[in-house]
Amino acid sequence: LCLPPEVGAQDTNAERMSWWLDAKFGMFIHWGVYSQAGGEWNGETGHHEWLQLTAKIPLAEYTEFASSFNPSKFDANEWVTIAKQAGMKYLVVTAKHHDGFAMYDSPSNDHNIVKGTSYGRDPLKDLAEACHKHGVRFCVYYSLGRDWEDPDVPTGWGDRLGWRSNLIDYPDEESKVFQRYFDRKVKPQVRELLTQYGPIGVMWFDTFEQIEPHQSKELIAMIRELQPNCIINDRVGRGLGDYKTAEQEIPSRSSNMPWETCMTINDHWGYNKADENWKSAEKLLRNMIDVVSKGGNYLLNVGPTGEGVIPESSVERLSEMGRWLGVNGEAIYGCGPTPFGEEIASFQERVKNERGKPQSRTGWQWRATTKPGKLYVHVFEWPIGVMNLPAIDENVTRTYLLADPNETALAFKQSASGVSITLPETPPDQI
Ligand code: H79
């Protein structure tokens, strides 16, 4: 088999992808000078990492606002420890979001945390070090197609929402040349990220509407040259990159391509002090299992405060997930997708109705993951007595509960129509 020597041809490089495919669970961190507003501006509380645009703040005023950023409670070791104890294997931090403000020491552009804030330090350096120390892969997010500091990036959503970053400082939309921004800011900054922090696990790009195919390819070539093992998500543009990104959604079926769902724990990426709509630890675990059963990775977000603190509600849920993974991680890390494909439609179970009478229903009751010689069944709705699974080709030799330290054998029956397993009355590790 002879593949054309295109950049895209390397995109399934098994060696580069193997740690990431095994990792399954990572921490996304949205942190920027916007975090200090906690979503509030002029009495409005619905803002977030898009603050500059949604509150229609001129660049000069935003730059002034940035100068007071001083995360006195930021502790990289603490963040990485939270990720590690949650069972997360990699961490993706916003090096530059759409506001164009670099949250790291960027010699090529002064709109950055070292030059532009009273804090004056590079938190990514601390985070990278802490990650390397704790064995968590350090990865960075970089906003490619939006930058509200650079005069050559089309305003895009700003236009639609009635805002242009700064009509005085900025030339007309028509005279903007994306290539100038690409040469002046993107390339130097991506180079900085790949040379200042040791190994980068993933270059996680966001928003690529403006990018030309030759620009995506040039970026990929540069990353491959500087760090051949760095993984690139598909938002580098034009269908290139190593894996597909899904945002705030879980696909209905598995895919042959590597993929990742990124998701918030409440309803915002960046810190919003008014948002208390936290998903439960149980919901988050089900989402993670659902994703892994379809062959994907789960990148779960935290939005630290302007002081540098990860909200307690996030920490609590993450530590619950970590506790569960401590017992059941074997059924997540390094696992392949379900062999069945259609758990949702094919499964019928008997449950008790409100009056305590058994009844049959179909639903989102379980998911399966696999390893050579093993099938892991994640049961969300504990059936009464017997768990029925569709037919599988392999001979079942033993069934037991992962949460049972003695791995006591459960009775099972295998036939051409399926496998039924007799379960104890109550689940061993309900959360
Ligand atoms: O970084 C997070 C988001 O800020 C970013 N990607 C994730 C990982 C993102 N960029 N674009 N989008 C998400 C989709 C655009 C959503 C919008 Fe809106 C809805 C733009 C305008 C309406 C949200 C609400 C932002 C402004 C108002």
Side-chain angles (χ1 to χ4, degrees):
L1 180 73
C2 184
L3 292 168
E6 280 178 18
V7 181
Q10 306 171 16
D11 285 355
T12 49
N13 186 312
E15 209 176 312
R16 179 167 64 235
M17 294 301 291
S18 89
W19 74 263
W20 187 88
L21 289 169
D22 287 351
K24 300 299 174 195
F25 191 28
M27 175 182 272
F28 213 171
I29 303 179
H30 274 71
W31 197 46
V33 295
Y34 47 78
S35 306
Q36 66 182 327
E40 184 175 355
W41 196 264
N42 290 338
E44 295 274 325
T45 57
H47 302 292
H48 40 84
E49 71 282 359
W50 284 51
L51 173 73
Q52 189 186 353
L53 185 150
T54 55
K56 301 182 181 175
I57 305 171
L59 177 63
E61 191 183 342
Y62 192 77
T63 305
E64 176 60 31
F65 170 68
S67 69
S68 61
F69 187 73
N70 192 2
S72 53
K73 296 186 179 157
F74 170 66
D75 179 346
N77 271 303
E78 197 175 307
W79 287 14
V80 175
T81 303
I82 290 168
K84 184 141 185 162
Q85 287 178 351
M88 292 159 150
K89 306 291 188 190
Y90 59 111
L91 177 156
V92 185
V93 62
T94 47
K96 187 201 84 171
H97 204 265
H98 304 343
D99 59 4
F101 193 88
M103 290 295 286
Y104 69 97
D105 183 12
S106 175
S108 65
N109 184 296
D110 283 352
H111 203 52
N112 72 60
I113 189 167
V114 176
K115 282 267 171 66
T117 71
S118 48
Y119 183 59
R121 298 191 66 239
D122 181 350
L124 259 58
K125 198 160 184 295
D126 296 354
L127 271 175
E129 264 168 32
C131 279
H132 299 148
K133 189 171 102 190
H134 293 283
V136 172
R137 301 266 181 166
F138 179 69
C139 314
V140 295
Y141 166 108
Y142 189 87
S143 172
L144 202 52
R146 283 189 196 108
D147 188 306
W148 301 322
E149 183 263 340
D150 193 283
D152 271 311
V153 185
T155 313
W157 268 106
D159 265 8
R160 278 187 255 179
L161 300 179
W163 175 85
R164 290 212 181 166
S165 39
N166 189 325
L167 288 174
I168 299 160
D169 294 359
Y170 281 64
D172 289 343
E173 213 62 6
E174 298 70 42
S175 61
K176 293 183 170 185
V177 181
F178 192 82
Q179 182 69 43
R180 287 202 295 247
Y181 153 72
F182 188 74
D183 292 335
R184 171 175 56 226
K185 194 162 182 182
V186 176
K187 285 201 283 179
Q189 289 201 324
V190 170
R191 183 174 288 272
E192 288 159 6
L193 290 167
L194 290 162
T195 51
Q196 294 178 183
Y197 304 95
I200 303 287
V202 179
M203 276 299 307
W204 207 106
F205 291 106
D206 206 0
T207 62
F208 48 86
E209 293 92 342
Q210 341 276 3
I211 202 156
E212 300 281 343
H214 71 91
Q215 292 165 332
S216 300
K217 286 183 182 170
E218 192 181 341
L219 214 44
I220 292 171
M222 183 174 92
I223 298 165
R224 296 285 186 250
E225 186 204 319
L226 293 170
Q227 292 211 25
N229 294 324
C230 180
I231 294 167
I232 306 167
N233 75 332
D234 63 345
R235 292 187 179 181
V236 69
R238 306 292 158 175
L240 298 170
D242 295 310
Y243 71 84
K244 288 195 179 304
T245 303
E247 182 167 328
Q248 300 283 42
E249 61 172 10
I250 300 177
S252 56
R253 350 168 131 247
S254 53
S255 136
N256 290 329
M257 268 288 286
W259 63 275
E260 175 185 69
T261 280
C262 60
M263 200 179 269
T264 52
I265 301 185
N266 58 2
D267 292 332
H268 290 86
W269 299 99
Y271 177 57
N272 181 297
K273 61 188 170 190
D275 183 355
E276 291 293 339
N277 195 23
W278 303 100
K279 296 174 186 74
S280 66
E282 184 181 13
K283 173 75 179 163
L284 295 167
L285 279 169
R286 286 185 185 204
N287 283 341
M288 179 184 68
I289 293 163
D290 191 19
V291 164
V292 175
S293 78
K294 292 164 182 165
N297 276 19
Y298 195 45
L299 183 63
L300 191 56
N301 181 74
V302 296
T305 66
E307 284 194 306
V309 177
I310 298 177
E312 193 50 37
S313 301
S314 296
V315 177
E316 284 164 11
R317 284 156 180 81
L318 293 178
S319 80
E320 272 289 283
M321 295 179 83
R323 198 189 57 77
W324 185 88
L325 279 162
V327 176
N328 299 289
E330 182 190 324
I332 296 291
Y333 305 120
C335 283
T338 178
F340 303 119
E342 290 289 315
E343 279 93 336
I344 299 172
S346 68
F347 188 67
Q348 288 272 324
E349 66 159 9
R350 276 154 56 82
V351 293
K352 278 184 185 156
N353 65 15
E354 314 83 72
R355 275 165 279 119
K357 286 206 163 171
Q359 63 181 31
S360 173
R361 85 169 169 200
T362 310
W364 204 62
Q365 293 114 353
W366 60 281
R367 286 288 182 270
T369 56
T370 48
K371 266 185 196 155
K374 289 213 174 167
L375 171 70
Y376 300 102
V377 184
H378 304 253
V379 186
F380 302 147
E381 307 287 343
W382 202 250
I384 299 162
V386 176
M387 171 90 202
N388 292 308
L389 296 172
I392 52 172
D393 292 338
E394 290 79 6
N395 275 332
V396 177
T397 53
R398 199 161 69 93
T399 57
Y400 61 93
L401 299 169
L402 261 192
D404 172 4
N406 303 319
E407 297 185 359
T408 312
L410 301 174
F412 71 90
K413 270 193 212 126
Q414 181 168 23
S415 69
S417 62
V419 181
S420 49
I421 305 162
T422 305
L423 296 181
E425 212 165 292
T426 52
D429 61 345
Q430 198 154 28
I431 65 152

